[in-house]
Amino acid sequence: MRAFFAGQQAHAAAGTGDRVGALRHLGEAEAAMDHAESHVGVIGSYNPAALNYHVSQVRHELGDTPGAIRALQLSDRTRVSTDRVIRIAHRCTTAERQLRIGHLDAACATWHQTLDDYPHIRSGRADERLRTMLGLIRPHLKNAAAHALDDRTRALMQTSV
């Protein structure tokens, strides 16, 4: 619980521009998570995937978009495979950030990973994230990767309705 709250505090501090406080709270989150994991029988939902999500949010708020992308990718690699709705949301965020820094092909690849999970869930939030993605790639439809992504997304969204 302490690790989770420290991660939240880190994100909030970064959002207000308090870089020192954000980094201090991230350190507290990591230390609290390590402490909890060292005790036998402790069960909790704050894990390395959650910590790396908070690291990503802090880096993003502090203007380090490439670092935020790396942290989200690490979060994705350590996430439990059954957390599909969370994974979709975080992969969409990763792709949006990749696109924002001009990495269209990487963003399309990340969104394709998102589409791999999409048929297995029912989520209005996921539907909205994909509609947002369609809008973001619209200006890039002359690019083969963006065009293929658009086609696949529209087909998947139609079959899920």
Side-chain angles (χ1 to χ4, degrees):
M1 180 93 54
R2 176 65 192 121
F4 171 77
F5 286 129
Q8 292 290 333
Q9 288 174 306
H11 186 186
T16 64
D18 180 6
R19 179 182 182 79
V20 172
L23 298 176
R24 179 175 42 81
H25 288 303
L26 276 181
E28 291 170 5
E30 187 171 6
M33 188 179 70
D34 289 344
H35 179 75
E37 287 178 347
S38 70
H39 289 80
V40 178
V42 173
I43 298 173
S45 62
Y46 199 80
N47 54 37
L51 176 63
N52 282 301
Y53 170 76
H54 279 127
V55 168
S56 174
Q57 295 300 87
V58 167
R59 288 181 179 269
H60 177 71
E61 293 288 345
L62 296 177
D64 179 10
T65 302
I69 290 167
R70 287 190 301 275
L72 266 177
Q73 289 169 329
L74 182 56
S75 176
D76 189 49
R77 286 193 300 272
T78 58
R79 181 164 316 289
V80 177
S81 64
T82 56
D83 290 344
R84 285 188 166 134
V85 173
I86 293 170
R87 191 168 55 210
I88 285 172
H90 291 184
R91 283 181 176 168
C92 284
T93 299
T94 301
E96 289 166 10
R97 290 176 182 172
Q98 289 170 321
L99 184 62
R100 192 173 301 126
I101 63 171
H103 297 169
L104 176 61
D105 289 335
C108 289
T110 301
W111 272 314
H112 272 292
Q113 289 177 326
T114 299
L115 295 178
D116 293 342
D117 281 328
Y118 183 73
H120 305 287
I121 58 114
R122 289 264 191 246
S123 167
R125 189 170 80 173
D127 295 343
E128 182 60 33
R129 295 300 298 262
L130 293 184
R131 283 191 291 275
T132 297
M133 177 268 293
L134 289 170
L136 290 171
I137 65 166
R138 186 173 296 124
H140 307 282
L141 290 179
K142 290 184 180 178
N143 174 284
H147 188 79
L149 177 64
D150 184 80
D151 287 348
R152 183 179 178 205
T153 303
R154 291 181 188 286
L156 280 173
M157 289 182 82
Q158 282 210 308
T159 59
S160 73
V161 174

